[in-house]
Amino acid sequence: MDYQRIFAQAIDRLHAEGRYRVFIDILRNKGAYPNARCFAGHNGPKPITVWCSNDYLAMGQHSKVIEAMEEALHDVGAGSGGTRNIGGNTHYHIQLEAELADLHGKEAALLFTSGYISNEATLATLGKLLPGCVIFSDERNHASMIAGIRNSGCEKRVFRHNDLDHLEELLAATDPEAPKLIAFESVYSMDGDVAPIAAICDLADKYNALTYLDEVHAVGMYGPRGGGISERDEVAHRLTIIEGTLGKAFGVMGGYITADRNIVDVVRSYAPGFIFTTSLSPVLVAGALASVRHLKGSSSEREAQHANAARLKSIFIEAGLPVMPSTTHIVPLMVGDPIKAKRISDILLAEYGVYVQPINYPTVPRGTERLRFTPGPAHGEEMMQELATALAEIWDRLEMRLAA
């Protein structure tokens, strides 16, 4: 068996399809986001503007977050020292879980090392504990949710994206006595659309199903205190489990779930992805704690971000660029070809000092490749106009301009 040939062919396929992923070598400039520097050649760092970060509110640069992390570092050191069960539990962890439970109006919360792990571990654990459980999953759910459902060993029924009629059809065709769980997201991060949460809760009530809502692209961003779409729409109390991340709008790292005490205790006690993983560094937890507390009391960051997202969409439309419909802070431009998406990204970085990553399969379906822009509070009008001008020039250069 020629192992190396098999591995080489796998990579060659990605190159041939135009979806080989390249990491960009950059450093952000502390306190000056979205300004950063890129180490792309041999002439030292080149100034760039970041347009694709999931640090939506630049909280990773906020003075309160940095100060809290520095204080924790000098107070308790760098690492946690172990799993939560063996040496890795700190007062910071307990405080943050209390803040997150309060944020979503739930009895308890549980921290994980990432949003991926919180989804995978929780869904897999719940499915294994509920005998004969059937999980209903939106077709555009994140890969971590899909992995968790697969690892649960449950029967899975996929409903068309945000299609309530299809979801009800699947629910009605399922054994009324079988345990049921509906898993979906609030903001779908590649298209920027929003789930009909209240209507899904209505169906869950009608068919006696649990609900699992992934709010990773909405926590910090929506609602009076940053509790997400479920807080904005005043439906958080109707959801069984709300999952979120600390690595996007909160600007640090980690994932979590919130629910009633029994569910959280079950996941804490049975999920291998929690039990056997070194806990988050208390330095990270301290930063996330400061971020959550700040955004509970401050709406200026999300208001500025939402205003800038709306402005960028308008500028793209005025420039004749193929901006996709989005009701949220995500601004996607349709390209429809992986090679062209990568080419546009490369030109933007090399010639214009603009960093935006191409989004290709399997993150999005084939033929829907795109560039995904996430303007933050500090992306100014001049930056947006320069970006639109650069994109229009590249679109014309590559003969991609759509007929008016």
Side-chain angles (χ1 to χ4, degrees):
M1 175 66 69
D2 187 344
Y3 297 108
Q4 291 304 318
R5 178 180 59 82
I6 293 172
F7 299 145
Q9 287 176 341
I11 295 299
D12 288 344
R13 286 195 299 272
L14 295 179
H15 281 292
E17 294 173 14
R19 58 187 187 93
Y20 179 76
R21 296 169 189 255
V22 177
F23 293 160
I24 305 300
D25 186 359
I26 67 172
L27 289 172
R28 295 198 289 176
N29 299 328
K30 176 176 170 285
Y33 180 81
N35 296 314
R37 53 202 189 273
C38 178
F39 297 82
H42 302 288
N43 299 320
K46 170 186 175 181
I48 63 170
T49 303
V50 178
W51 279 98
C52 57
S53 175
N54 283 341
D55 185 359
Y56 293 131
L57 303 179
M59 289 303 295
Q61 304 288 309
H62 198 283
S63 59
K64 288 183 181 179
V65 174
I66 293 170
E67 288 167 8
M69 295 178 75
E70 289 175 339
E71 182 180 342
L73 178 65
H74 293 290
D75 183 28
V76 301
S80 71
T83 66
R84 289 288 292 279
N85 299 301
I86 307 176
N89 189 50
T90 73
H91 189 55
Y92 290 111
H93 292 79
I94 293 169
Q95 286 182 300
L96 180 53
E97 286 175 341
E99 289 286 349
L100 292 168
D102 172 75
L103 178 64
H104 296 292
K106 300 298 183 185
E107 292 180 346
L110 189 66
L111 288 174
F112 293 83
T113 51
S114 73
Y116 188 104
I117 298 298
S118 56
N119 272 335
E120 192 281 329
T122 303
L123 287 166
T125 299
L126 291 177
K128 289 175 181 176
L129 288 174
L130 293 169
C133 182
V134 179
I135 299 181
F136 300 82
S137 176
D138 188 289
E139 67 178 345
R140 294 188 187 172
N141 276 344
H142 190 265
S144 57
M145 301 174 76
I146 295 170
I149 295 168
R150 180 186 303 115
N151 292 340
S152 74
C154 291
E155 182 179 349
K156 176 180 71 172
R157 299 188 180 172
V158 179
F159 60 94
R160 291 185 292 270
H161 179 53
N162 282 346
D163 189 329
L164 296 171
D165 291 337
H166 190 216
L167 174 58
E168 180 162 21
E169 178 185 327
L170 294 175
L171 286 164
T174 302
D175 180 359
E177 300 302 316
K180 304 173 189 67
L181 186 150
I182 305 171
F184 61 110
E185 302 181 33
S186 60
V187 174
Y188 288 85
S189 64
M190 292 301 123
D191 293 329
D193 58 341
V194 175
I197 301 175
I200 291 176
C201 288
D202 289 341
L203 290 177
D205 292 344
K206 182 177 179 179
Y207 292 95
N208 193 28
L210 303 177
T211 49
Y212 183 100
L213 177 66
D214 177 318
E215 284 261 42
V216 297
H217 290 277
V219 290
M221 299 290 298
Y222 300 90
R225 302 192 307 157
I229 298 294
S230 58
E231 184 192 26
R232 184 197 71 179
D233 294 353
E234 299 181 344
V235 292
H237 64 285
R238 301 186 63 190
L239 294 153
T240 311
I241 300 166
I242 298 175
E243 182 266 352
T245 184
L246 304 168
K248 293 184 171 62
F250 291 127
V252 189
M253 179 182 176
Y256 65 89
I257 60 166
T258 63
D260 67 40
R261 286 189 179 88
N262 282 340
I263 290 176
V264 169
D265 200 19
V266 160
V267 175
R268 182 188 71 86
S269 301
Y270 282 90
F274 174 81
I275 296 170
F276 299 105
T277 299
T278 298
S279 66
L280 283 169
S281 161
V283 177
L284 295 172
V285 178
L289 179 61
S291 183
V292 171
R293 285 174 171 170
H294 175 79
L295 289 174
K296 279 183 175 180
S298 174
S299 61
S300 61
E301 291 85 2
R302 47 184 166 263
E303 288 172 358
Q305 201 278 342
H306 294 161
N308 283 348
R311 182 62 184 135
L312 185 61
K313 292 173 192 176
S314 177
I315 289 172
F316 279 175
I317 291 170
E318 291 169 6
L321 295 164
V323 60
M324 299 170 63
S326 167
T327 59
T328 63
H329 58 281
I330 294 161
V331 185
L333 277 188
M334 176 58 69
V335 178
D337 179 272
I339 295 174
K340 286 184 177 178
K342 180 66 166 61
R343 177 65 176 144
I344 296 167
S345 173
D346 289 345
I347 294 173
L348 282 170
L349 185 64
E351 299 182 20
Y352 292 96
V354 167
Y355 173 43
V356 61
Q357 195 72 5
I359 307 295
N360 297 327
Y361 177 84
T363 307
V364 295
R366 297 180 192 274
T368 69
E369 292 82 6
R370 66 200 65 178
L371 302 177
R372 175 183 176 272
F373 296 87
T374 54
H379 285 94
E381 174 82 16
E382 184 177 350
M383 287 180 179
M384 296 185 200
Q385 294 289 354
E386 290 175 351
L387 173 62
T389 299
L391 285 165
E393 185 279 321
I394 297 169
W395 242 254
D396 287 338
R397 188 194 312 184
L398 300 181
E399 298 181 343
M400 294 172 56
R401 178 73 70 177
L402 297 176

